[in-house]
Amino acid sequence: MNNTLLEVVNPYDLKSIGEVKLVDWPTIDGWLNTATQLHRQRKNWLPAHQRIAILKKTAQLMQGQFDELAFQIANEGGKPLVDAKVEVTRAIDGVELCIKELGHLTGSEIPMDLTAAGAGRMAFTTREPIGPVVAVSAFNHPLNLIVHQVGPAVAAGCPVLVKPASATPLSCQAFVNLLYQAGLPEEWCRFAPCTSAVAEQMVTDPRVGFFSFIGSGAVGWHLKSKLAAGTRCALEHGGVAPVIVDESADVNAMIPALVKGGFYHSGQVCVSVQRIYVPEDMATSVAQAIADKASLLKVGNAIVTETECGPLVNPKEVDRVEQWVDEAARAGAQVLCGGHRLGETTYAPTVLLDPPAKAKVSTQEVFGPVVCVYGTESLEDAILRANSLPVAFQAAVFTQKLNAALRCVRELDATAVMVNDHTAFRVDWMPFGGRRHSGYGVGGIGHTLRDMTQEKMAVIKL
């Protein structure tokens, strides 16, 4: 390992809060060799009961360090403390869910006498670990995303190397250390912060059995294109989440949900509410109601209890959001609230009414505190506009009409459609992932655990 250090800062005041050592390629090369040998020699495999005991102990240790883990999420990731506590709860539940899902990881009997050719035989399948896992993660949920990638690998019996986002490595490091404290031998899980070049070399190495990626589409698709033959993968990217509102929607109940879904973690969520399609005669009033509530959100340092919207992950992201909003405003969008930066690291919660269809805020993932509202001519018009982009992740519809709800569920291009809830809703056992440019494969702890195993069939001639 070289002595290059990665400095970690609080993204609000940019003050240093820690550092981690970057791992060099020779070290990772050795780790991959060890991981390969662990997988190839069945005698090295950890039995299921031992993996379960380790995960149980990990969850207990996490509960004992609940406040410290929440503060660390807020301090390095900029997620408000109230939401960071929710993330820790989810992460603990996620570790426990790995145990539950492991009990459901079973094979099946294959009927063999359906034709004369198979008569006199019996067959069944079992599931085995797929091999060394490499996980590359994102900054916006620095503990829970690691649990979603590393927890299933440990449960499945796969050695795993995990590269956290460079902005938020401390939560990942804490989780890996808790696994060690719970009894997991270090060779089964390696904390691997590294440069992009080293990460690409690690991901594309032929010894990797499964690659788990959470991050930008540009990086994810690039890495997938360079994977070694035989490496399986799952990619989770982002979307430009659409919401359809029809004339029957319960507006009073809807507005708080849209504000939460749009401005949670300052919009730095892959399924944040971004495009809201409203009947033309309701668009201005709905947009103004969202703006009225968004303008009251308290923006500041995420470690302060009162903060509701924290900083963006770095000042360059504030610059980018500022440029996109300014572009939309110059092209005719009405700025109903926000529309300006509050400092080097923060941007005001912003609501735009009718930005142009080709503006960046209408076509690309903002990943910032910006919500756009558009007037539409009909439900058909709203669905067409919602489906107009090459990304497709989670979508939503607000309506009191069953026919409208079911039509949107049927016709929206999305992996999940929320009815009378915002697009950012998620529980950790549900299938979660994007279509088309938004990703490849399906996340969710049970689905990931299954992806990290492979089926083997035994055929016995009687």
Side-chain angles (χ1 to χ4, degrees):
M1 182 180 292
N2 63 34
N3 294 319
T4 303
L5 296 177
L6 174 64
E7 184 183 23
V8 186
V9 301
N10 176 303
Y12 178 77
D13 58 22
L14 303 180
K15 291 181 180 178
S16 179
I17 60 172
E19 59 187 21
V20 297
K21 287 186 176 181
L22 293 175
V23 183
D24 60 15
W25 172 248
T27 301
I28 288 176
D29 183 45
W31 288 350
L32 282 171
N33 275 335
T34 300
T36 301
Q37 291 307 309
L38 287 173
H39 175 65
R40 285 182 176 174
Q41 299 181 23
R42 188 173 291 266
K43 66 180 181 181
N44 293 324
W45 291 7
L46 299 177
H49 68 82
Q50 186 176 348
R51 287 176 264 143
I52 289 170
I54 290 166
L55 291 168
K56 282 183 178 178
K57 182 64 175 178
T58 301
Q60 294 169 1
L61 292 170
M62 292 172 74
Q63 189 64 56
Q65 297 184 26
F66 187 99
D67 290 337
E68 295 92 330
L69 291 170
F71 182 84
Q72 189 160 258
I73 290 168
N75 203 22
E76 70 172 341
K79 177 180 288 186
L81 197 54
V82 63
D83 295 319
K85 291 179 179 180
V86 173
E87 179 172 343
V88 177
T89 298
R90 286 180 60 189
I92 294 169
D93 290 344
V95 173
E96 294 173 343
L97 185 59
C98 288
I99 299 170
K100 295 175 184 176
E101 292 291 348
L102 184 55
H104 298 147
L105 196 68
T106 60
S108 60
E109 181 184 356
I110 310 299
M112 296 304 291
D113 60 351
L114 300 178
T115 69
R121 294 166 177 82
M122 64 178 296
F124 60 88
T125 63
T126 59
R127 300 200 73 84
E128 298 180 340
I130 198 169
V133 170
V134 167
V136 175
S137 203
F139 77 87
N140 52 339
H141 309 290
L143 179 62
N144 198 42
L145 292 183
I146 298 298
V147 167
H148 270 256
Q149 295 173 286
V150 174
V154 173
C158 295
V160 56
L161 285 69
V162 54
K163 179 199 175 298
S166 59
T168 55
L170 300 179
S171 295
C172 176
Q173 185 180 48
F175 180 68
V176 172
N177 286 335
L178 288 172
L179 286 171
Y180 296 161
Q181 291 176 40
L184 184 71
E186 291 189 17
E187 60 267 25
W188 284 92
C189 181
R190 300 290 193 177
F191 174 63
C194 56
T195 64
S196 296
V198 172
E200 182 168 324
Q201 196 169 1
M202 173 173 62
V203 167
T204 58
D205 191 279
R207 291 167 289 185
V208 176
F210 189 84
F211 170 48
S212 170
F213 177 82
I214 303 174
S216 75
V219 175
W221 292 117
H222 167 75
L223 291 174
K224 182 179 183 295
S225 73
K226 302 188 76 173
L227 292 180
T231 301
R232 305 295 191 259
C233 73
L235 312 176
E236 183 187 306
H237 302 148
V240 188
V243 176
I244 291 177
V245 177
D246 99 333
E247 68 277 1
S248 71
D250 182 345
V251 175
N252 290 333
M254 176 183 75
I255 298 302
L258 292 178
V259 171
K260 183 63 177 180
F263 299 105
Y264 164 64
H265 201 1
S266 293
Q268 297 172 114
V269 179
C270 59
V271 285
S272 285
V273 170
Q274 185 171 329
R275 298 176 292 151
I276 306 174
Y277 296 102
V278 186
E280 194 70 59
D281 60 349
M282 296 172 57
T284 299
S285 61
V286 167
Q288 190 61 58
I290 297 170
D292 290 345
K293 197 167 183 65
S295 64
L296 299 176
L297 295 171
K298 295 179 175 63
V299 181
N301 195 330
I303 64 175
V304 177
T305 304
E306 294 76 18
T307 296
E308 296 170 287
C309 285
L312 299 193
V313 66
N314 60 56
K316 288 183 179 179
E317 289 300 290
V318 182
D319 294 340
R320 178 187 57 77
V321 171
E322 181 179 47
Q323 291 165 7
W324 288 17
V325 172
D326 288 350
E327 173 201 63
R330 287 193 302 269
Q334 296 182 52
V335 181
L336 301 187
C337 73
H340 57 88
R341 68 193 304 150
L342 298 174
E344 184 181 9
T345 60
T346 52
Y347 196 85
T350 297
V351 176
L352 302 178
L353 177 60
D354 283 324
K358 293 185 178 180
K360 289 185 177 68
V361 296
S362 298
T363 57
Q364 298 182 43
E365 184 178 26
V366 175
F367 226 62
V370 179
V371 167
C372 304
V373 180
Y374 309 83
T376 58
E377 297 175 358
S378 63
L379 183 59
E380 181 179 11
D381 177 41
I383 293 171
L384 286 172
R385 292 168 71 175
N387 289 344
S388 63
L389 302 179
V391 289
F393 210 142
Q394 296 196 163
V397 55
F398 285 84
T399 180
Q400 297 301 306
K401 296 179 179 178
L402 180 60
N403 285 344
L406 293 179
R407 181 178 179 186
C408 288
V409 168
R410 183 177 65 248
E411 296 186 16
L412 281 171
D413 188 9
T415 51
V417 179
M418 310 302 163
V419 178
N420 294 324
D421 207 345
H422 61 71
T423 58
F425 172 80
R426 182 186 185 185
V427 291
D428 296 289
W429 55 89
M430 66 187 248
F432 186 79
R435 292 179 177 177
R436 297 196 286 156
H437 291 195
S438 290
Y440 181 83
V442 179
I445 283 175
H447 302 274
T448 300
L449 179 56
R450 196 164 185 86
D451 276 350
M452 290 180 178
T453 62
Q454 51 194 350
E455 203 165 42
K456 176 183 284 183
M457 184 170 67
V459 181
I460 302 169
K461 188 173 183 181
L462 301 176

